Amino acid sequence: MYDYDLLVVGSANADLVVGVDRRPGPGETVLGSDLAVHPGGKGANQAVAAARLGARTALLARVGDDAHGRLLLQSQREAGVDTDAVLVGGAPTGVALITVDPSGDNSIVVAPGANARLTPDDIRASGDLLARARVVSLQLEIPLETVAEVARTLPPATRLVLNPSPPAPLPAEVLAACNPLVVNEHEARFILGPAAGPAPEDWAKALLELGPQTVVITLGAQGALVASAAEAVHVPAPRAEAVDTTGAGDAFTAALAWRLGQGDSLAEAARFAARVGAVAVTRQGAQESYPTAEEVADR
Ligand code: ADP
């Protein structure tokens, strides 16, 4: 009865990356490497990650009527994502301008572009799309009122997964719809503020008090903590030779959301997602690093 295992409502960006010996200071110009252009944005990343695992995946996003938009549509289609709901036009495709120095430290400027024009009206105009998905996944690289519209109009049978990144204060109605709220350490601290306790178990308890039905805290090489009112379970990360952790959180969240829709418990879904994340960190890039289900099984 569902057309999609996962519908991702979120951002699509072109990542424009230049390697530099030293990142420029105010008023300074430095020469860098050749420009590399990669498809990115948390929404687009999650959709590619899920589709590559074999999930029937759709993306609701907005890109510009330009070369970056076409690059993003192409990478989605190559991964097997249904792009019928990707809106085109209204502003240039979102871009992230990224400079990376030899130590791997980077400076990033994001021009949200078309992502900022994905409106609540666009959600309303998507008809029964939300009802056609088992699970809907959201992040915060699109307007908060658009995120709130999805939470408000979500059919009761559709499960909502939210990664509040970049972190922002969340309305109670959005928090209450999350099952789970997925945060990394930085996002957990932002949402909880100075009241955050010393340990992830404390954060999980405090986050649950804000209203989400369940909580997942990702802990990098330490894995993840999954928590409901009943229990908190630590899921270790498989040991991995990490070369580039870009987009690992997006792969983790997409895999988790997909498996939850397939009937896994929160801990089972997180165990699978941790294996996906552990493959993603062993390869360069974000979308380029995401494994197929066979590659996850081989680990
Ligand atoms: P984010 O990328 O959002 O900061 P994390 O760094 O917590 O999120 O990573 C997300 C998930 O990716 C982790 O929960 C873990 O499963 C996996 N992961 C990240 N870094 C490593 C690592 N060094 N080794 C193994 N798994 C990792």
Side-chain angles (χ1 to χ4, degrees), residues 42 163 183-185 187 217-224 236-242 245-250 252 270 273-275 277-278 281:
K42 289 183 164 293
N163 171 220
V183 292
N184 65 16
E185 183 171 340
E187 292 145 12
I217 303 174
T218 64
L219 302 166
Q222 307 303 314
R239 193 183 291 277
E241 206 55 56
T245 60
T246 312
D250 299 331
F252 178 98
R275 290 166 65 200
V281 299

Side-chain angles (χ1 to χ4, degrees), residues 23-41:
R23 287 170 296 142
E28 196 183 0
T29 299
V30 300
L31 293 181
S33 67
D34 285 352
L35 175 70
V37 183
H38 301 281

Side-chain angles (χ1 to χ4, degrees), residues 17-25 29-34 98-107:
V17 186
V18 180
V20 290
D21 287 336
R22 197 170 46 74
R23 287 170 296 142
T29 299
V30 300
L31 293 181
S33 67
D34 285 352
I98 305 172
T99 51
V100 193
D101 71 20
S103 70
D105 284 335
N106 57 30
S107 298

Side-chain angles (χ1 to χ4, degrees), residues 15-139:
D15 292 344
L16 311 186
V17 186
V18 180
V20 290
D21 287 336
R22 197 170 46 74
R23 287 170 296 142
E28 196 183 0
T29 299
V30 300
L31 293 181
S33 67
D34 285 352
L35 175 70
V37 183
H38 301 281
K42 289 183 164 293
N45 285 353
Q46 286 197 6
V48 164
R52 202 161 285 159
L53 290 168
R56 294 173 305 157
T57 307
L59 176 66
L60 174 50
R62 185 178 283 280
V63 297
D65 184 7
D66 50 31
H68 292 149
R70 287 186 283 281
L71 169 81
L72 282 153
L73 284 166
Q74 187 192 342
S75 69
Q76 293 290 312
R77 288 175 185 145
E78 279 172 9
V81 177
D82 184 329
T83 59
D84 287 355
V86 177
L87 301 162
V88 178
T93 299
V95 295
L97 307 175
I98 305 172
T99 51
V100 193
D101 71 20
S103 70
D105 284 335
N106 57 30
S107 298
I108 305 179
V109 177
V110 173
N115 296 303
R117 273 72 161 198
L118 187 70
T119 63
D121 275 345
D122 292 330
I123 303 301
R124 288 189 280 272
S126 70
D128 64 352
L129 188 62
L130 299 181
R132 289 163 62 201
R134 282 177 197 277
V135 182
V136 171
S137 180
L138 291 165
Q139 322 78 38

